[in-house]
Amino acid sequence: MDATLRKRLIGIFSDGFLVLYFLFALFPIVWMVLVSLKSTDELFTTQFIFTPTLDNYQAILFGDARASAGVIARQEFPRNFMNSFIVSSGAVIVSLLVGVPAAYALARYNFKGKENLAFTFLSFRFAPELVVIIPLSLIYRQLGLYDSYFGIIWVYQLVTLPLLIWVLRSYFEDISPDIEQAAMIDGYPWHRIFIQILLPLVRPGLAAAALLAFVFAWNNFIFPLVLGASNVQTVTVSALGYISSAQAFFNRMAAAAVISSLPQMLLALSIQRYLIRGLSFGAVKG
Amino acid sequence: MAELRLEHIYKTYKGGVEAVKDLNLTIQDGEFLALLGPSGCGKTSTLRMIVGLESITRGDLFIGGRRMNELEPSDRNTALAFESYALYPPLTVFENIAFCLRARKIEPSQVKQRVTEVARILDIEDILGKRPVELGGGQKQRISLARALVRDPDVFLMDEPLSHLDAAQRAHMRVELKRLHAQTRRTTVLVTHDQLEAVAMAERVAVMNLGVLQQVGTFDEIYNHPVNEFVAGFIGEPPMNFLPCEPVSEGGELGLRATDGSFTLRLPSQRAQQLAKQNLKQVKLGVRPVDMLATSQAGDDRIAGRVYTYESLGEEGQLAARVGGHEVLIVTPPEDHFEPEQPVWLGVRPDRLHLFHGETGAAI
Ligand SMILES: Nc1ncnc2c1ncn2[C@@H]1O[C@H](COP(=O)(O)OP(=O)(O)OP(=O)(O)O)[C@@H](O)[C@H]1O
Ligand SMILES: [Mg+2]
């Protein structure tokens, strides 16, 4: 077998594999969209019956026309969606405000316990949320943070902050301190150096980390479930509401899920360019 | 433009490293001085204190007669060309050079004029629109110099500016920098550990070791009259030979005998008198490889040795000979050839020998 033939075979093979993986990865999304377009009668059949309807979307967005269900009395999906949006973007914004300076400090300065501190941030990420949730919920109730936006945004820092700090730290470490010092001699105050020189250099990492943090926050289930109630209910938690002892509205749940995943998909597509470069830790070149 | 004066400058880093100790140095207005020394001797620390990136632990720094110790880097009107170039990657070459002018709120038309002028001097007009990533080392170096020059600094500092260039570019930039200095007559300090660079460009050379300034002077002064063993060994290529000796008197005249007894040497009367005054037990004889000759005949006042290795380098040869327990390097004329293990007799130019204190290393 000659080399070109082998190359082509390998090419076909890997393409085939990618197509398979693509189908595999996309299947749940396709299924979810299909289910969201079905009526309740079509849901639980063994044959594939499919007459697409937008009823489910109509129901979750504008209320159930027939009002038969009683599962969700008021139509809360738009509100839940807003809640999700508020707490997720709030969490990312707070993480940016805190994480960027923290990452910079971890990259630039030597201080006592620096590595321990950095590791502590990271450990937020791999400690199971269930471990802290009970004590947290007691504390939250005492402090009056229970069921408040502020409380949820705060606890989401456990999810969003470590990622930002660790990605950005490696970016800042890649930038030579000489560059900042040169700019200092050139007569720039630190904040202008940061905006004009450093920020453009860390932007890919910033974008990628912020997006991922947003996705993690958006998908989080346990924190708003335990630490929130009707005020801050997010789409992840409200999905539970489509199932009751009497009936399970999987089709509405699917419709809600479709709408809920739209922001993430749009975001990911719009900054796709940054994503790969951004997470391949440190791509700054002087 | 201004005179730069360092008075009793000390730098002690956190953790107790004494990088610079009691440094006294004056660089005249318009002078080009090279700060030369081995790695870790405190050259960069000195520069960074002058620019203001590092605080001065003790002592006073004056530029143009004004005390600078407490001033911010941006208020000292010094310019530093970094070893790593430290260009601003997000900005174009033009904006890199214009960056400091923009900080001073200089009119755009003026900015353009000054940048173009500096770019012309450094021959980088054609790359003003590019970004640093697209450029090679030599070009980046020019940009970093342009950036330092455009602000019209009182004192121009360069930290190993040529160390990342290849040999050809380095030779070229040496000429360029020298020309630049001749054109602008700016007070300039060049930090380097390459003496060729220092000789080629600077008017005076300051040699440092272990944070202490050893000697300042023109290269000739330092080469011909090194104040101690360190300077003697550091300056000059190939490096000076050192042989431990003890003074002996022979028939009323003071001479030298190798500590291991391998040779004796008469001293010129003036050197003998100098040595006699000191009344030392131990001295070091220092001779540069170029101030020695090697023959295959024994002769008066020749040191007997044995060839260790010989390399012919075209224009000259380098002979390493063993004298007693020591190795001695001699630069030989191209027509001479030597075989290993062959006996040789080495002559020393009596007017070119150096004597150093056996313990302190100070020149006698
Ligand atoms: N920020 C710092 N903190 C602690 N010690 C330092 C610091 N910077 C330099 N030193 C130490 O001070 C000494 C002098 O360093 P310096 O960088 O001035 O040497 P140098 O002559 O520039 O050397 P090289 O030729 O390697 O650049 C060294 O021992 C170095 O380890
Ligand atoms: Mg240095």
Side-chain angles (χ1 to χ4, degrees):
Chain A
M1 199 163 34
D2 63 12
T4 50
L5 187 66
R6 213 161 87 194
K7 238 189 197 159
R8 274 188 49 191
L9 271 180
I10 291 175
I12 291 169
F13 229 80
S14 63
D15 284 356
F17 177 78
L18 282 178
V19 168
L20 275 181
Y21 179 76
F22 178 73
L23 291 176
F24 172 76
L26 222 56
F27 178 76
I29 297 175
V30 172
W31 192 251
M32 180 175 79
V33 173
L34 284 181
V35 170
S36 76
L37 295 174
K38 285 185 176 188
S39 65
T40 314
D41 305 334
E42 291 170 351
L43 265 184
F44 304 101
T45 52
T46 42
Q47 306 128 295
F48 186 81
I49 319 168
F50 185 49
T51 42
T53 164
L54 288 173
D55 280 358
N56 299 314
Y57 290 94
Q58 167 125 36
I60 62 166
L61 291 176
F62 309 110
D64 193 336
R66 285 160 289 159
S68 62
V71 179
I72 296 181
R74 286 174 294 128
Q75 269 325 306
E76 294 203 321
F77 181 78
R79 242 201 82 175
N80 297 149
F81 190 90
M82 268 318 286
N83 286 342
S84 268
F85 188 78
I86 290 168
V87 291
S88 300
S89 37
V92 171
I93 289 168
V94 170
S95 278
L96 284 173
L97 292 180
V98 179
V100 172
Y104 181 83
L106 284 172
R108 276 286 185 273
Y109 302 115
N110 269 317
F111 48 87
K112 228 169 109 193
K114 170 168 122 165
E115 288 311 317
N116 290 340
L117 191 67
F119 184 77
T120 306
F121 283 129
L122 190 64
S123 71
F124 291 164
R125 194 68 200 111
F126 54 67
E129 290 155 1
L130 283 170
V131 172
V132 292
I133 197 74
I134 303 296
L136 256 184
S137 101
L138 293 177
I139 294 169
Y140 263 47
R141 275 164 209 273
Q142 281 194 358
L143 291 180
L145 289 171
Y146 177 77
D147 197 20
S148 68
Y149 287 127
F150 182 77
I152 299 293
I153 288 174
W154 193 357
V155 75
Y156 270 9
Q157 295 312 308
L158 289 176
V159 179
T160 53
L161 193 56
L163 184 76
L164 261 163
I165 289 182
W166 274 77
V167 171
L168 286 181
R169 181 188 179 182
S170 76
Y171 267 80
F172 283 125
E173 277 172 350
D174 270 7
I175 303 173
S176 158
D178 287 355
I179 292 180
E180 278 170 64
Q181 293 175 347
M184 264 166 66
I185 300 174
D186 273 350
Y188 283 80
W190 188 84
H191 70 271
R192 290 202 46 201
I193 301 175
F194 185 82
I195 292 170
Q196 282 178 268
I197 308 291
L198 297 185
L199 210 51
L201 291 176
V202 302
R203 195 178 294 145
L206 200 66
L211 169 78
L212 273 189
F214 183 84
V215 170
F216 288 158
W218 187 274
N219 288 344
N220 195 281
F221 173 70
I222 192 85
F223 285 137
L225 177 71
V226 179
L227 302 178
S230 57
N231 271 336
V232 299
Q233 194 162 73
T234 62
V235 284
T236 45
V237 176
S238 75
L240 279 183
Y242 298 105
I243 305 172
S244 74
S245 51
Q247 214 176 354
F249 285 95
F250 286 120
N251 45 359
R252 291 191 188 169
M253 196 193 258
V258 168
I259 298 176
S260 308
S261 53
L262 278 181
Q264 309 176 25
M265 292 195 199
L266 290 179
L267 266 177
L269 285 177
S270 63
I271 65 160
Q272 197 181 22
R273 188 160 69 84
Y274 286 134
L275 252 186
I276 297 161
R277 204 156 72 82
L279 290 177
S280 56
F281 288 81
V284 184
K285 288 234 172 60
Chain B
M1 273 176 243
E3 176 200 75
L4 170 65
R5 198 162 80 239
L6 292 87
E7 290 183 357
H8 302 287
I9 297 265
Y10 285 79
K11 176 73 205 179
T12 310
Y13 284 108
K14 260 189 262 155
V17 182
E18 289 190 308
V20 178
K21 286 175 246 174
D22 197 23
L23 177 60
N24 288 288
L25 191 60
T26 303
I27 296 114
Q28 311 293 337
D29 184 6
E31 188 182 18
F32 195 141
L33 177 115
L35 195 54
L36 191 60
S39 192
C41 73
K43 306 181 297 282
T44 300
S45 303
T46 305
L47 271 204
R48 290 171 59 88
M49 282 192 284
I50 298 173
V51 193
L53 292 174
E54 209 67 72
S55 64
I56 297 170
T57 310
R58 203 134 51 85
D60 300 296
L61 169 75
F62 297 93
I63 296 177
R66 249 179 92 207
R67 190 166 180 279
M68 291 281 157
N69 285 45
E70 274 78 40
L71 258 55
E72 290 294 315
S74 52
D75 298 332
R76 299 189 183 194
N77 201 23
T78 56
L80 173 63
F82 286 82
E83 180 176 354
S84 61
Y85 314 136
L87 303 180
Y88 310 124
L91 307 183
T92 61
V93 171
F94 183 95
E95 285 305 323
N96 261 278
I97 301 171
F99 202 59
C100 70
L101 301 179
R102 302 247 190 257
R104 295 181 190 182
K105 309 237 166 8
I106 288 170
E107 258 178 73
S109 64
Q110 261 254 298
V111 169
K112 187 157 184 347
Q113 190 204 327
R114 280 172 70 172
V115 173
T116 331
E117 191 189 321
V118 175
R120 190 178 46 73
I121 296 176
L122 283 159
D123 199 20
I124 47 173
E125 287 159 293
D126 49 330
I127 52 169
L128 283 177
K130 299 207 165 157
R131 270 167 223 280
V133 232
E134 306 166 47
L135 305 173
Q139 288 169 314
K140 283 190 195 169
Q141 182 59 72
R142 280 155 198 273
I143 300 164
S144 103
L145 292 172
R147 196 175 61 180
L149 281 178
V150 76
R151 49 196 305 180
D152 199 11
D154 288 333
V155 178
F156 184 27
L157 306 157
M158 294 182 271
D159 192 356
E160 317 229 4
L162 310 183
S163 59
H164 295 303
L165 302 182
D166 63 37
Q169 282 176 325
R170 205 178 302 180
H172 181 65
M173 280 309 289
R174 278 210 292 261
V175 179
E176 293 279 282
L177 282 174
K178 186 152 176 118
R179 181 182 59 94
L180 205 62
H181 178 251
Q183 248 174 40
T184 57
R185 293 303 310 171
R186 230 178 275 279
T187 312
T188 304
V189 180
L190 166 83
V191 158
T192 176
H193 58 251
D194 178 355
Q195 42 181 309
L196 247 177
E197 235 167 64
V199 201
M201 296 189 270
E203 294 155 327
R204 280 199 307 158
V205 177
V207 182
M208 279 181 86
N209 187 33
L210 301 173
V212 179
L213 180 65
Q214 308 284 320
Q215 189 170 6
V216 194
T218 64
F219 190 80
D220 286 348
E221 279 166 24
I222 293 181
Y223 182 84
N224 293 322
H225 306 286
V227 295
N228 59 31
E229 196 182 327
F230 170 78
V231 176
F234 188 71
I235 301 284
E237 192 48 53
M240 187 182 274
N241 298 302
F242 294 101
L243 294 164
C245 293
E246 48 203 31
V248 285
S249 61
E250 251 176 56
E253 264 186 77
L254 198 61
L256 292 176
R257 188 176 61 213
T259 315
D260 56 11
S262 53
F263 66 88
T264 54
L265 194 70
R266 273 203 306 244
L267 286 175
S269 60
Q270 197 200 347
R271 302 314 300 268
Q273 275 165 23
Q274 286 167 347
L275 188 58
K277 265 186 232 149
Q278 301 257 346
N279 191 22
L280 294 172
K281 287 249 152 47
Q282 282 289 323
V283 295
K284 275 218 177 123
L285 169 67
V287 199
R288 295 194 189 279
V290 292
D291 296 330
M292 296 185 83
L293 59 88
T295 59
S296 42
Q297 286 108 41
D300 201 22
D301 234 340
R302 294 278 157 88
I303 300 170
R306 199 167 274 281
V307 175
Y308 191 55
T309 60
Y310 173 76
E311 273 176 84
S312 173
L313 304 174
E315 294 166 37
E316 59 175 41
Q318 278 195 9
L319 170 72
R322 292 208 141 265
V323 174
H326 294 275
E327 202 171 294
V328 175
L329 204 66
I330 304 112
V331 172
T332 58
E335 58 275 12
D336 289 359
H337 284 277
F338 300 88
E339 293 299 326
E341 293 308 316
Q342 170 192 346
V344 281
W345 278 266
L346 311 174
V348 175
R349 277 180 63 177
D351 57 326
R352 308 282 296 175
L353 57 78
H354 301 267
L355 293 175
F356 302 100
H357 197 289
E359 279 142 33
T360 63
I364 297 167

